[in-house]
Amino acid sequence: MLSAQVMPDTPQLLDAVTVTGRANDLLGVASSASQGQIGSVDLAARPFLRRGELLEVVPGVVITQHSGGGKANQYFLRGFNLDHGTDFAVSVDGMPVNMRTHGHGQGYADLNFVIPELVDRVDYRKGPYHADEGDFSAAGAASFHLAETLPQGVLKLEVGESAHGRIVVADTVARATGGFSYGIEAAHDDGPWLRGDDFRRGNVVLRRFWGDPDHRFNLTAMGYTATWDSSDQIPARAVATGAVDRFGTIDPTTGGETSRASVSFAGRRAAADSTMQFNAYAIHYDLDLYSNFTYFLDDPINGDQFDQRDRRWVLGGAASEVRTMVWGSREVRLRIGGEARADFIDEVGLYKTEARERLSTVRQDAVDEMSGAAWGDVSVRWTPWLKTDFGGRADAYRFDVSSGLPANSDAVTAAILSPKFGVAFGPWAGVELYGNVGQSFHSNDARGVTIREDPLSGDPAERVDPLVEATGGEVGVRIGRGTWVSTVSLWWLELDSELLFVGDGGGTEVNGATGRYGVEWANFVRPWPWLKLDADVSLTRARYRDAPGEDHIPNAIASVVTAGAAADLGRGWQAGMRLRYFGPQPLTEDNRVRSPASTTANARLGWSGEVWSVTADVLNLFNAADNDIAYYYGSRLPGEPSEGVADVHFHPAEPRSVRVSVAYRF
């Protein structure tokens, strides 16, 4: 019979682990080979060019950029060009980062509002196997957890080439049962572009926390604002003829501005056999993004610049409970939860512009998109070496669009069930085996769900499915031997349809069913107390399932290798180096046009004392003249044929640069 009492001599199934680095093997805790945790120690040891590169701590993830610094980065994982987050769910302290029905792209996930010095850890889980992950989680999910308290206050000043400057101040004011933490950041960067980005950013985080170890609560306010100019991708033909410099631009008036403000409340209540967690949040978000990818193809007089505008409130919350029990002599962990979210989008629009001045409206909509979900799973340790996880979730959506074109106004509801299953064998002598299968989904843009008439041509338009199902599985092994942790996973994933970048519109469109499979190998080792090494390899095959002969998925990266070393040299000195390689990728479905591989190395040398520390980062150490990203589509420059020219359009990797930071701890 089931009992709510946990046997004193029986190890419990843990629902949380405190980590400071990748040395934690998670044996007996993890439910798959492709999940893990990265702590603040590892994060602090990495040199970053962009804020979104915080996600590159996840093995196999590649972060690039095809526009200005204030725009969400481009994400790649498991053979996906995730655009700005379509099939990879990102959250910060329980608040969703992915924006649905977004002005620029479905699932847009901008991490520029995160202050790296305040991140305590990153939890990641790949694949559709986890019941508490819903929309946008087909390829995986990453959860950022901000530190509640800081061990010391810090004042950091960072300077570098290309007018790079950054100042951060953060501290905790502790009281008997709680306190306050805060972080403030201001930054500027021009980048290497002939027309500098003039990227100006401001961030603030204020947190009040209180309670005891079993009953803990916090109230957090966050604010972010940024403005920037941008050098979008440029045509290879213009660079080859010398008409445009590699770091030049075609339209010098592109760029954007954005802001994000949020208030969130979170709590945790622990008892002898259960833990309850809950959170609620309110987010206000603005974006104006000016882009021009085809130059003079559609409008030879005014040019093809357009403004993508997004104004919204996001309200939501979640609650979950983890309960441990004993069934006979078997350990049982039951997890149940629910969540709700409502996006009240006052304006999501697309406008034709010239030099950021509006010329006409392509479409303008107001959208209310609401969803609710219930999920649960049960984990049973049948024997000391066998554990199973079975669960699922149910999601329901309502899309309500009020369009400037009445034919495209409508309300649609949809629901989806996503079962999950996992099994773990072991651990034996530091080895654990896993098998997982499951389903997940991504929601599509509400405007595509209710469309009837193309706003440009007036032709009838086909509606897209509201919710797109993904099915996947993997088998894997986790090895923890002293200071060596290694995981290997063989995986596959199929989507009913997916989104693909469309150059002439600066957005995405729905494409056919796809299938992917691959292998990942992640390693961390500390051979000596003063040296940490990591190396990760990801190999993927990605194809359309219903397009023989033209089945390659553009921008699907087939191979990713990352490696790093961090050394404590004594007397306060530290050194580190990181290497990132991503292989060639198809740019067309027939694989006729391909983008070359890219290899980048970053290095760090620093000294830390009790109060002061100094760090120097060299980014793109070997000054590799690679591309951050490339696309193949048609565009038109002045004097070219009216039908345009199909060409590779690329955004170059930034050349070697040096940044130096000085930190004072108090």
Side-chain angles (χ1 to χ4, degrees):
M1 59 180 293
L2 283 173
S3 169
Q5 301 299 315
V6 178
M7 295 174 61
D9 297 331
T10 303
Q12 297 184 28
L13 296 175
L14 303 179
D15 61 289
V17 176
T18 301
V19 298
T20 57
R22 285 182 67 177
N24 291 74
D25 56 36
L26 301 183
L27 289 168
V29 177
S31 59
S32 72
S34 59
Q35 74 180 86
Q37 296 177 317
I38 307 294
S40 57
V41 171
D42 286 330
L43 288 167
R46 291 173 175 247
F48 293 109
L49 173 65
R50 307 181 182 96
R51 193 59 45 91
E53 289 178 13
L54 287 167
L55 276 175
E56 286 195 347
V57 300
V58 179
V61 169
V62 171
I63 303 297
T64 67
Q65 183 59 280
H66 71 90
S67 190
K71 188 177 180 180
N73 292 122
Q74 199 92 7
Y75 305 131
F76 297 84
L77 174 67
R78 288 192 164 183
F80 279 90
N81 171 9
L82 296 163
D83 196 39
H84 300 288
T86 308
D87 284 292
F88 191 74
V90 183
S91 64
V92 174
D93 277 349
M95 291 187 293
V97 179
N98 304 75
M99 293 292 177
R100 50 201 194 186
T101 309
H102 187 268
H104 182 66
Q106 182 71 345
Y108 187 89
D110 183 2
L111 279 169
N112 277 300
F113 71 94
V114 176
I115 301 176
E117 287 80 2
L118 299 186
V119 177
D120 180 59
R121 75 176 195 274
V122 180
D123 298 338
Y124 66 88
R125 296 184 286 185
K126 301 177 190 174
Y129 327 122
H130 307 281
D132 52 345
E133 302 291 353
D135 202 358
F136 305 119
S137 66
S143 302
F144 286 78
H145 300 270
L146 303 184
E148 187 170 86
T149 62
L150 301 174
Q152 290 178 288
V154 61
L155 173 63
K156 178 186 285 188
L157 177 64
E158 182 177 291
V159 296
E161 298 177 73
S162 302
H164 175 82
R166 179 173 177 261
I167 186 170
V168 177
V169 60
D171 195 13
T172 297
V173 180
R175 296 181 176 178
T177 59
F180 296 88
S181 292
Y182 67 87
I184 303 172
E185 174 190 31
H188 177 273
D189 192 81
D190 272 342
W193 324 111
L194 297 185
R195 172 182 178 267
D197 273 358
D198 193 22
F199 176 28
R200 290 169 286 175
R201 164 174 44 206
N203 280 318
V204 61
V205 178
L206 302 173
R207 168 166 286 179
R208 171 77 168 97
F209 58 90
W210 65 95
D212 56 46
D214 292 333
H215 302 81
R216 203 71 179 166
F217 308 93
N218 66 66
L219 180 66
T220 305
M222 304 179 71
Y224 161 65
T225 183
T227 63
W228 67 96
D229 300 323
S230 63
S231 298
D232 291 333
Q233 61 256 30
I234 54 178
R237 63 187 184 277
V239 177
T241 61
V244 177
D245 186 87
R246 178 175 171 82
F247 297 101
T249 185
I250 302 296
D251 185 342
T253 64
T254 55
E257 56 184 322
T258 189
S259 65
R260 184 187 190 278
S262 66
V263 177
S264 62
F265 173 75
R268 174 182 178 273
R269 303 176 69 94
D273 60 355
S274 66
T275 300
M276 176 181 290
Q277 297 186 81
F278 49 88
N279 75 299
Y281 56 84
I283 305 168
H284 185 261
Y285 172 85
D286 285 350
L287 173 73
D288 269 300
L289 183 61
Y290 299 90
S291 306
N292 187 347
F293 302 129
T294 54
Y295 320 124
F296 294 94
L297 180 63
D298 296 328
D299 188 338
I301 305 300
N302 301 303
D304 297 350
Q305 188 185 100
F306 54 89
D307 171 25
Q308 292 165 313
R309 177 171 292 186
D310 196 296
R311 303 279 189 275
R312 74 176 67 201
W313 281 93
V314 183
L315 307 178
S320 64
E321 183 177 8
V322 180
R323 183 173 293 273
T324 56
M325 299 172 285
V326 173
W327 181 17
S329 60
R330 300 180 180 91
E331 305 166 42
V332 178
R333 184 193 68 178
L334 175 66
R335 297 194 312 156
I336 57 173
E339 58 193 60
R341 173 177 172 177
D343 290 52
F344 299 108
I345 308 172
D346 299 324
E347 180 183 4
V348 55
L350 177 62
Y351 309 95
K352 288 186 175 295
T353 56
E354 181 183 15
R356 304 196 189 189
E357 294 294 328
R358 187 180 299 182
L359 301 177
S360 62
T361 299
V362 177
R363 69 176 301 171
Q364 184 182 65
D365 304 277
V367 178
D368 291 341
E369 184 169 343
M370 289 162 279
S371 65
W375 59 268
D377 62 27
V378 58
S379 175
V380 181
R381 186 166 288 282
W382 300 92
T383 71
W385 52 268
L386 175 62
K387 182 182 72 171
T388 60
D389 291 277
F390 180 79
R393 63 181 290 131
D395 289 85
Y397 276 70
R398 177 179 172 84
F399 307 84
D400 193 343
V401 177
S402 297
S403 178
L405 186 62
N408 291 332
S409 297
D410 201 358
V412 174
T413 59
I416 192 169
L417 297 176
S418 304
K420 325 274 185 174
F421 176 75
V423 60
F425 301 93
W428 299 287
V431 178
E432 192 165 22
L433 306 175
Y434 307 91
N436 302 88
V437 293
Q439 292 182 328
S440 188
F441 70 99
H442 71 241
S443 61
N444 271 329
D445 191 302
R447 294 168 294 178
V449 172
T450 65
I451 194 171
R452 287 191 178 93
E453 181 180 321
D454 187 289
L456 283 176
S457 66
D459 296 333
E462 183 178 354
R463 293 183 170 187
V464 301
D465 292 333
L467 306 175
V468 177
E469 183 179 280
T471 304
E474 72 175 53
V475 294
V477 59
R478 184 182 300 268
I479 303 171
R481 297 285 176 83
T483 60
W484 175 48
V485 180
S486 182
T487 63
V488 179
S489 58
L490 302 172
W491 60 271
W492 62 272
L493 182 65
E494 294 183 350
L495 265 72
D496 287 347
S497 68
E498 68 178 78
L499 305 180
L500 182 69
F501 180 85
V502 180
D504 58 2
T508 53
E509 70 178 15
V510 177
N511 283 266
T514 59
R516 293 170 169 83
Y517 60 84
V519 58
E520 293 175 330
W521 184 25
N523 296 273
F524 175 90
V525 64
R526 193 165 191 165
W528 298 283
W530 56 272
L531 179 64
K532 294 187 293 184
L533 304 172
D534 66 86
D536 307 316
V537 179
S538 177
L539 304 175
T540 303
R541 187 181 189 275
R543 296 290 188 271
Y544 286 114
R545 303 206 314 261
D546 52 3
E550 294 189 353
D551 59 353
H552 286 71
I553 302 174
N555 297 115
I557 298 177
S559 56
V560 176
V561 179
T562 58
D568 184 345
L569 305 178
R571 298 182 180 273
W573 288 93
Q574 305 96 30
M577 186 171 180
R578 296 210 61 80
L579 177 74
R580 184 193 74 177
Y581 164 88
F582 61 86
Q585 55 194 282
L587 299 183
T588 58
E589 288 81 356
D590 60 7
N591 202 29
R592 180 176 56 87
V593 183
R594 295 178 61 82
S595 178
S598 173
T599 304
T600 306
N602 298 331
R604 167 172 288 185
L605 179 65
W607 174 86
S608 295
E610 292 185 2
V611 177
W612 293 93
S613 63
V614 181
T615 302
D617 291 338
V618 183
L619 305 170
N620 195 359
L621 177 65
F622 302 115
N623 202 31
D626 293 331
N627 295 335
D628 246 357
I629 195 168
Y631 307 98
Y632 186 81
Y633 59 85
S635 64
R636 182 177 183 268
L637 299 172
E640 291 184 334
S642 59
E643 66 273 17
V645 177
D647 195 7
V648 172
H649 298 72
F650 70 94
H651 196 255
E654 298 195 17
R656 180 171 50 232
S657 63
V658 178
R659 295 178 181 177
V660 177
S661 66
V662 178
Y664 171 72
R665 290 183 291 275
F666 55 90

